[in-house]
Amino acid sequence: MAEQTAKQKAATAKTAPKKAARKTAPKKAATQRKTATSRKPATKRKTAAQRKPTARTSARRTSTQDIATRAQEAGRAAFLVSLGFYGKAFDEAQERFESLQDRLEKRRKNADKLYRELVKRGEKVEKDARSALDDLDLDNLTDRKKLEARLEKARARLEELRDSVGFKSAA
């Protein structure tokens, strides 16, 4: 405990000069008062809110406001430009996709039409080939000369058939 009291005494000794410094401050103010009587009386300064805005300060305020609004508008315009760009790119991609879909649908229709035409033509060729083979009547032939004559006739018919179909070589 003796140590604590010594520390407390040291702490109070350190704070004592501060109190003395405070006491000296009013003396200085008193001396200043005496010298202040010879000078003009000091006017009370107005705060920034109390002062009237001069043309210079109001111009600064409007210019900073204008700069802020212009910056805000420029930022919004940049955002709208990027949004418009993405919208246009999306529209163009969608148009291309739709045109590809249309072309694909057209090709499918053409392929279906061509398939149906080829089936009809194949049926016609089959019919002509059957009639050509039926004309030969190969079952009743026993004579070789008659058989060769009929085969020659069949070859001629098949040649005509091939020419009508448009084949370049016989199958």
Side-chain angles (χ1 to χ4, degrees):
M1 290 211 159
E3 290 177 17
Q4 290 179 354
T5 56
K7 288 181 181 177
Q8 287 175 353
K9 287 179 186 178
T12 55
K14 289 179 183 177
T15 56
K18 289 181 184 176
K19 288 181 183 177
R22 288 183 190 161
K23 288 181 183 177
T24 57
K27 288 180 185 177
K28 286 182 183 177
T31 56
Q32 286 177 354
R33 283 187 208 136
K34 289 178 187 175
T35 57
T37 55
S38 62
R39 292 186 199 156
K40 288 184 179 179
T43 58
K44 192 175 182 182
R45 291 192 82 157
K46 295 181 181 179
T47 61
Q50 292 173 339
R51 283 186 236 139
K52 291 182 182 177
T54 62
R56 190 172 167 188
T57 57
S58 63
R60 272 192 225 145
R61 284 185 192 147
T62 56
S63 68
T64 56
Q65 288 172 349
D66 288 343
I67 291 170
T69 54
R70 279 189 265 153
Q72 198 173 25
E73 289 171 359
R76 184 163 170 23
F79 170 73
L80 292 175
V81 163
S82 64
L83 191 63
F85 172 77
Y86 287 122
K88 189 169 185 159
F90 178 78
D91 289 343
E92 188 173 329
Q94 193 167 6
E95 285 175 12
R96 287 185 180 187
F97 179 74
E98 288 172 359
S99 71
L100 286 174
Q101 287 286 74
D102 291 342
R103 287 186 356 205
L104 183 63
E105 188 65 30
K106 213 182 239 186
R107 286 183 179 173
R108 281 185 187 146
K109 287 179 183 177
N110 287 341
D112 288 341
K113 184 179 175 183
L114 182 63
Y115 178 78
R116 280 184 257 121
E117 287 176 4
L118 289 174
V119 167
K120 285 180 185 177
R121 187 159 182 149
E123 289 172 349
K124 182 181 176 189
V125 169
E126 181 186 26
K127 182 181 168 187
D128 291 343
R130 284 188 188 264
S131 68
L133 286 175
D134 287 342
D135 286 346
L136 291 178
D137 193 27
L138 296 175
D139 294 336
N140 295 335
L141 292 177
T142 55
D143 188 15
R144 186 156 177 98
K145 287 185 182 182
K146 287 183 181 179
L147 181 61
E148 285 182 12
R150 292 273 173 118
L151 282 176
E152 205 48 49
K153 185 178 176 186
R155 284 186 189 135
R157 289 276 312 248
L158 287 176
E159 187 69 32
E160 290 174 14
L161 185 61
R162 187 177 65 189
D163 290 340
S164 69
V165 171
F167 290 139
K168 299 204 183 234
S169 64

